[in-house]
Amino acid sequence: MDAIAPPLPCQRHLFEVPDDISYLDAAAWSPLPRSVREAGEAGLLVKSRPWAHPREAVPAQAERARAAAARLIGAATDDVAIVGSVSHAMATVAANLAVVPGGRVLRVADEFPSLCYAFDRLARATGLIVEEVSRPEDGDWTAALLAAIGRAGAPPLAIATLTPLHWTDGGLIDLDRLAPAVHAAGAALVIDATQAAGVLPVDVGRWRPDFLAFPTYKWTLGPYALAFLYAAPHRQDGVPIEENTGNRSPASGARRYDRGELNDPVLLPMAATGLELVLSWDVPAVADRLRRLTDRLAEDLVGLGLAAAAAHLRAPHIVGLRAPGGVPPGLTDRLRRDGVYASERSGALRLSPHVWADERDVERCVAALRRSL
């Protein structure tokens, strides 16, 4: 019988989060672990003193980061490109999808703009129809999307641009159920894993997307201005939106889509260090730890006029709290004065802890909300 892995303990000691701060805003951006900051500082010395640090050593950092990103999503290293952002990734994707006019681009309502703009442009240029699935009253995004995919008499599905959860409030979007339906419809599957990579099991072998992208500045504990784009093997002969010496022939695999100025001595080691730290924890253990915290937040706030979706309809690491009249004005500012950091997104108070958070942060947040409300 396999031994049960012990729960992941709080990792606050790896960060610089003070004891009197409850930072519950990882879905916006994460603080850097000390080791990631130190990797960036070492990289600054490379650029500050280039005579002492040969730049020939930097490409190895790109491959280190690429390999760690590939491991995190169950991909082969050659299937991952290094890009500047998720919007860069999605512009690349939209430029490399051949479509037939009259088909549908399917997405959820109130989707993050980086997953919309490039496909809106593609739709206008090629005669596609953009269909947004409205927020379901019962909170079940998966059922609503399945109904839209299979709706009788609807135009054929051309592209589904999906995420594993809704970015505003953590509403679960079950790609284990949705990906097979998209494939059965003969459509391209494009996944933005921004709010999932590092905290949810993301597996390109299971979902079989045409493309999948995620950045490093949120749940994988890295810097801004760096992201990764997975391209399925049959999608690797396309055209990059940037032409540079690194991504021209004979660049192999998804490296065809690598960004220019790739060999950054600061960002690459930071990203690699953050990814390797996340990989050392085991992603399901991270999800389990954060589920306990978000469940307690939802339970302890009952009676304050804020309600969360049922646990089975929300992701483990984000809980969105909604009030009948909307979030009271100035609430996040009042929380910040009490040392609690959260975001308001589309009418929801979004609380998103990561591995630095513990039960004391939950207690401080609940107490602050009781005072504020």
Side-chain angles (χ1 to χ4, degrees):
M1 204 173 158
D2 293 337
I4 298 175
L8 180 71
C10 180
Q11 302 294 309
R12 202 181 194 97
H13 61 286
L14 300 178
F15 296 82
E16 300 174 69
V17 182
D19 288 341
D20 60 347
I21 293 294
S22 293
Y23 190 81
L24 305 176
D25 210 10
W29 61 346
S30 71
L32 294 175
R34 289 187 176 89
S35 59
V36 175
R37 174 177 58 79
E38 291 164 358
E41 290 169 347
L44 286 171
L45 289 178
V46 174
K47 189 66 170 64
S48 298
R49 305 169 186 172
W51 55 88
H53 302 276
R55 63 178 179 270
E56 291 80 9
V58 179
Q61 294 291 346
E63 294 312 304
R64 177 187 166 205
R66 194 191 311 271
R71 282 180 56 203
L72 188 65
I73 61 173
T77 303
D78 289 347
D79 295 341
V80 174
I82 299 175
V83 294
S85 62
V86 169
S87 58
H88 180 174
M90 293 305 161
T92 302
V93 172
N96 286 283
L97 290 176
V99 296
V100 176
R104 289 182 293 161
V105 178
L106 187 70
R107 66 184 181 223
V108 298
D110 201 17
E111 183 56 276
F112 197 77
S114 292
L115 194 53
C116 298
Y117 292 154
F119 298 100
D120 289 346
R121 181 186 294 273
L122 177 65
R124 290 193 297 269
T126 60
L128 293 176
I129 301 162
V130 176
E131 179 178 342
E132 293 189 346
V133 175
S134 300
R135 182 178 293 277
E137 291 186 7
D138 62 1
D140 193 341
W141 281 110
T142 305
L145 283 161
L146 285 170
I149 292 169
R151 189 173 71 252
L157 185 64
I159 307 169
T161 58
L162 300 177
T163 64
L165 62 150
H166 203 288
W167 69 282
T168 61
D169 58 6
L172 191 64
I173 298 172
D174 189 351
L175 295 183
D176 286 345
R177 295 171 60 194
L178 288 164
V182 172
H183 294 312
L189 175 59
V190 180
I191 298 174
D192 177 355
T194 294
Q195 297 290 5
V199 284
L200 294 180
V202 174
D203 187 348
V204 297
R206 190 171 76 249
W207 294 338
R208 297 189 295 116
D210 292 78
F211 294 96
L212 179 148
F214 68 94
T216 65
Y217 72 97
K218 295 183 186 283
W219 300 97
T220 60
L221 308 176
Y224 248 84
L226 195 68
F228 299 95
L229 171 63
Y230 164 82
H234 68 285
R235 295 292 189 182
Q236 293 173 5
D237 60 351
V239 178
I241 62 171
E242 295 183 349
E243 298 283 355
N244 59 75
T245 56
N247 67 13
R248 297 183 74 84
S249 180
S252 61
R255 289 176 180 81
R256 185 80 182 91
Y257 304 121
D258 277 353
R259 73 178 193 180
E261 299 184 13
L262 175 65
N263 293 317
D264 187 317
V266 181
L267 299 184
L268 290 170
M270 292 178 73
T273 301
L275 286 161
E276 290 164 358
L277 183 59
V278 169
L279 286 164
S280 75
W281 290 325
D282 181 55
V283 169
V286 173
D288 180 66
R289 173 174 181 79
L290 300 183
R291 167 66 79 186
R292 293 197 301 272
L293 295 177
T294 57
D295 280 355
R296 184 171 168 192
L297 280 165
E299 292 163 4
D300 288 0
L301 292 169
V302 171
L304 292 185
L306 296 171
H312 72 282
L313 292 176
R314 65 174 190 262
H317 54 301
I318 297 175
V319 58
L321 302 169
R322 297 183 182 274
V327 174
L331 178 59
T332 55
D333 291 335
R334 293 195 296 277
L335 291 176
R336 189 171 298 184
R337 289 195 290 270
D338 281 340
V340 176
Y341 290 76
S343 289
E344 181 186 347
R345 294 291 186 266
S346 298
L349 178 66
R350 188 182 67 185
L351 303 174
S352 52
H354 205 344
V355 293
W356 57 76
D358 61 14
E359 288 73 13
R360 293 172 300 172
D361 294 301
V362 172
E363 292 166 3
R364 183 181 289 113
C365 178
V366 171
L369 280 169
R370 284 176 176 156
R371 286 192 295 272
S372 295
L373 296 173

